[in-house]
Amino acid sequence: MLRGSKVGLRARHEDDIPILRAELYDDVVNSSRAESGPWRPVSPGSNDPRLVVDDKQQGSVPFSVVELAGGTLIGTATLWGIDTHNRLAHIGLGLLPSARGNGYGTDVVAVLCHYGFTVRGLQRLQIETLADNTAMLRSAEHNGFVREGVLRSAAWVLGEFLDEVILGLLAQDWKQDPKS
């Protein structure tokens, strides 16, 4: 398990899937804001690619996020779009509603940076998020990410176009938290 100051990132367990499905992906508003496509219902027990880990897939590393204090599942984190030639990847995370507002997102981003830069040897990490996602913007910027641009009206979310913000962090600009 990768450890931060508040959270741990570990392999996805089978018993994580029903919780993540019910609390993240069955929530139409949350899922619509987090995914790049429209929400759709997924049958229980199906192999939902957002939740079921395919260990053969090299371009994405999904984690379950747990609270270190008690080991409680609080969300998901992913290093995705891994490009080994250009040594870059994207960061994504989703916290259960009960876990939001406790600083876990900032810690998840820090642990993903450690994994991307130290473990994987990447040069660049990137985050794309909706312009009104202040929690993600704050978590990213707290970890050294820089706003690099805005994609105007780039996301169709529940009947309206929203702007997306692109943030980037280079390995040489990353300041590792000594607790990571």
Side-chain angles (χ1 to χ4, degrees):
M1 175 169 23
L2 298 170
R3 295 176 185 273
S5 60
K6 296 181 175 190
V7 302
L9 274 55
R10 64 158 168 78
R12 178 83 29 88
H13 296 173
E14 195 65 35
D15 53 348
D16 295 346
I17 293 173
I19 297 165
L20 295 172
R21 178 177 283 127
E23 295 194 39
L24 284 180
Y25 297 109
D26 284 348
D27 177 341
V28 177
V29 173
N30 179 70
S31 188
S32 296
R33 291 179 54 80
E35 301 292 322
S36 61
W39 178 86
R40 63 182 181 83
V42 177
S43 302
S46 69
N47 288 332
D48 184 343
R50 298 171 302 179
L51 295 171
V52 177
V53 176
D54 178 358
D55 289 326
K56 295 180 195 105
Q57 185 183 22
Q58 296 296 309
S60 178
V61 181
F63 297 96
S64 285
V65 180
V66 295
E67 185 180 34
L68 285 178
T72 305
L73 176 70
I74 60 170
T76 66
T78 308
L79 196 69
W80 62 276
I82 300 169
D83 178 339
T84 57
H85 176 73
N86 294 303
R87 295 178 44 206
L88 63 90
H90 304 259
I91 286 178
L93 67 100
L95 295 176
L96 303 181
S98 61
R100 296 176 190 156
N102 297 303
Y104 295 133
T106 299
D107 202 32
V108 170
V109 172
V111 177
L112 284 172
C113 287
H114 170 78
Y115 179 71
F117 293 133
T118 303
V119 177
R120 299 295 297 244
L122 298 175
Q123 168 60 19
R124 175 185 168 79
L125 293 174
Q126 183 170 310
I127 295 173
E128 300 86 9
T129 191
L130 296 175
D132 65 353
N133 188 347
T134 55
M136 186 64 191
L137 292 168
R138 190 173 41 250
S139 293
E141 290 171 338
H142 180 82
N143 280 287
F145 281 80
V146 175
R147 291 183 195 216
E148 295 179 335
V150 174
L151 302 174
R152 297 179 302 136
S153 294
W156 177 252
V157 180
L158 299 173
E160 66 178 317
F161 285 105
L162 299 176
D163 293 349
E164 282 188 334
V165 177
I166 308 275
L167 301 108
L169 179 61
L170 302 179
Q172 64 263 26
D173 298 332
W174 175 56
K175 306 225 182 345
Q176 181 175 8
D177 185 338
K179 294 178 294 255
S180 297

